[in-house]
Amino acid sequence: MKYRRVLLPIATATATALASPLRAQISITPMVGGYIPASDIHQVSGNAQSIAKTREGTLSLGANVDFGILRVTGAYASGTTIKNASKQDIGKGSVGALAADLVIRPLPRILVQPYLIAGAGEKFDHFDNSTTLISGNNTTNFAFHGGLGADVMLGKIGVAAELTDFLSKGADEDKWNVHDAFLMVGLKFRLGQ
């Protein structure tokens, strides 16, 4: 009981001291860009002639919320065309991803601030229920998230550009071979001081 009386004020003071610098470094970045499927897909199956082989790129939306070195990243792409080995359209799909990341800024800001992104999260695939796509319509996979980017800040508003990749396992569950890349730009809004 005596330890609680001592530890509670120390924990509260530590949390308050840590929250003040983090509050000054919070930024929100809504983004828009392109989704680039960087590998073949094999998690969608159908009849023998129509097994999904590739996806096409499409418009993507995303958002980043930075808390100093920590970041929450979200990305979404809808309307990607799924094709079979004969390059025939066999359906539509969408990809969403959510990750917790570390943002590493190895160089000081000289107008432009380059950075590296490393983290992990979940990737969500959805494929329509067409007559040729009969299974594997919705999948959720653990994914590593990595990439690079740069931003230019002019006061509390700036511009950011990023190329990131969500790496997950394929349908065989043995290989990390499914790449979902997002190339996006957005306005960065710094909150607080």
Side-chain angles (χ1 to χ4, degrees):
M1 190 65 130
K2 292 180 183 179
Y3 293 112
R4 287 186 193 169
R5 290 182 190 167
V6 173
L7 292 178
L8 185 61
I10 292 173
T12 304
T14 303
T16 305
L18 290 175
S20 297
L22 286 178
R23 187 176 51 225
Q25 298 175 20
I26 295 175
S27 63
I28 299 172
T29 311
M31 303 186 93
V32 65
Y35 163 70
I36 307 137
S39 61
D40 291 344
I41 59 170
H42 302 286
Q43 67 260 38
V44 180
S45 61
N47 59 38
Q49 297 91 335
S50 303
I51 295 177
K53 179 74 173 158
T54 62
R55 291 178 287 187
E56 289 185 346
T58 188
L59 177 70
S60 63
L61 301 173
N64 300 326
V65 180
D66 289 286
F67 303 94
I69 193 171
L70 303 175
R71 169 188 279 186
V72 175
T73 299
Y76 178 76
S78 181
T80 183
T81 302
I82 302 168
K83 295 185 175 192
N84 63 12
S86 301
K87 301 207 184 275
Q88 296 171 328
D89 293 356
I90 59 171
K92 295 283 184 186
S94 60
V95 177
L98 189 62
D101 301 313
L102 290 175
V103 180
I104 303 159
R105 301 177 189 279
L107 301 173
R109 180 182 298 279
I110 303 175
L111 186 61
V112 176
Q113 174 72 67
Y115 53 87
L116 302 171
I117 303 162
E122 291 281 330
K123 185 183 73 152
F124 313 96
D125 291 307
H126 172 75
F127 306 103
D128 66 359
N129 286 321
S130 70
T131 57
T132 55
L133 298 177
I134 59 173
S135 68
N137 291 336
N138 295 303
T139 60
T140 302
N141 295 312
F142 173 81
F144 290 108
H145 183 228
L148 53 94
D151 63 33
V152 175
M153 294 300 295
L154 303 169
K156 291 187 176 191
I157 299 176
V159 177
E162 295 182 354
L163 173 62
T164 64
D165 182 31
F166 288 88
L167 174 63
S168 60
K169 285 188 176 182
D172 58 6
E173 295 293 326
D174 289 335
K175 299 178 186 172
W176 292 86
N177 60 356
V178 179
H179 294 270
D180 293 289
F182 291 87
L183 177 62
M184 294 196 272
V185 296
L187 289 176
K188 187 171 190 171
F189 301 97
R190 186 179 296 154
L191 307 176
Q193 277 68 348

